[in-house]
Amino acid sequence: MSARLAARAAGVASASDMRTVDEMPLFEVMREDARAALERDPAANSIWDIVLYSTGTHIVWAHRRHHWLYTHGMRGLALLLAKRTRRRLGADIFPSAQIGRRFTIDHGIGVVIGATSIIGDDCLVYQGVTFGMTGKHGGKRHPTLGNNVMVGAGAIVLGDITVGDNAKVAAGSVVVHDVPHDVTVAGVPAKVVRDRRFSGPHLVEDDFDPSELDDENIRWSCTL
């Protein structure tokens, strides 16, 4: 079995595990992050490519350590290490930000994630993304992302808003209002450009993968 197929199999097994990040050993969470990055990165040939060379994964791992320290009473040390990571890797993630399992940052340079941000499981973020606030200086002031959310390069998501499960935010968008689940938003300010919230019957199952079919013509027709 190839490294990528092994990562996919591990991801399927993890999906049935309902534990939160805070209920798991730190290194188990980091292993999941590496497998998720391998599954999503076509340039990586093995898990070692991720471990050794993936800046985005190194940023995620740094935050995992900082968050553990922050939540275990070592706030000052967590902030100091986060400052060092900001200089070394070019990303600024506040240690108190809550980030779910199998989180992937692709490339990672210029990513900013504010202190009260909450990010669900299986999310993918590209370079230059900002999860910021809109002038409110107390309480919850940063975005909340559901599960399986993708945020494109250079997108800005501001304020105490919610981005629903399976939503996609196009590159360069500015999001200042809630985003429903299963939609794609784009623009400044961002608006819904694609809606996948179809509740009627489906011709195939939701988890159907056309790449597993043997006939190339059938695979292409199913992906249209």
Side-chain angles (χ1 to χ4, degrees):
M1 181 182 293
S2 71
R4 200 174 301 280
L5 290 176
R8 181 176 298 180
V12 172
S14 299
S16 62
D17 182 351
M18 302 301 292
R19 289 178 297 170
T20 66
V21 166
D22 293 333
E23 295 170 338
M24 299 172 62
L26 177 60
F27 287 104
E28 184 178 353
V29 176
M30 294 169 67
R31 281 196 298 269
E32 280 194 341
D33 292 330
R35 294 191 189 106
L38 176 61
E39 172 66 19
R40 290 164 169 159
D41 186 354
N45 294 322
S46 71
I47 196 68
W48 288 109
D49 283 356
I50 298 298
V51 172
L52 296 175
Y53 310 122
S54 173
T55 301
T57 301
H58 293 168
I59 292 169
V60 173
W61 283 352
H63 171 72
R64 298 296 191 196
R65 296 190 296 268
H66 305 160
H67 183 74
W68 189 92
L69 292 170
Y70 193 95
T71 56
H72 284 77
M74 291 170 274
R75 181 179 183 274
L77 179 59
L79 292 172
L80 175 63
L81 294 177
K83 180 180 178 180
R84 292 179 57 187
T85 297
R86 182 165 62 247
R87 292 199 305 263
R88 184 167 58 91
L89 298 176
D92 188 359
I93 306 179
F94 200 88
S96 64
Q98 301 176 44
I99 298 179
R101 296 169 60 176
R102 299 176 293 276
F103 181 56
T104 302
I105 299 177
D106 199 330
H107 299 294
I109 302 301
V111 168
V112 177
I113 300 178
T116 62
S117 299
I118 300 174
I119 299 175
D121 297 336
D122 301 296
C123 292
L124 171 62
V125 169
Y126 286 86
Q127 70 272 15
V129 164
T130 297
F131 297 140
M133 64 180 189
T134 56
K136 180 181 178 181
H137 293 282
K140 183 74 168 71
R141 56 193 182 276
H142 296 97
T144 297
L145 273 63
N147 298 324
N148 195 37
V149 174
M150 189 279 287
V151 183
I156 300 173
V157 187
L158 299 176
D160 181 16
I161 61 174
T162 299
V163 180
D165 294 346
N166 308 307
K168 299 181 187 298
V169 178
S173 301
V174 177
V175 184
V176 292
H177 299 291
D178 289 347
V179 176
H181 65 88
D182 294 293
V183 303
T184 298
V185 297
V188 182
K191 297 180 180 179
V192 175
V193 296
R194 184 180 180 190
D195 193 335
R196 300 181 298 280
R197 292 172 292 176
F198 177 64
S199 58
H202 292 263
L203 295 178
V204 296
E205 297 295 330
D206 290 340
D207 59 353
F208 175 72
D209 185 359
S211 66
E212 297 177 356
L213 295 174
D214 293 330
D215 188 293
E216 184 175 359
N217 292 326
I218 296 177
R219 287 202 302 272
W220 275 106
S221 66
C222 288
T223 57
L224 295 176

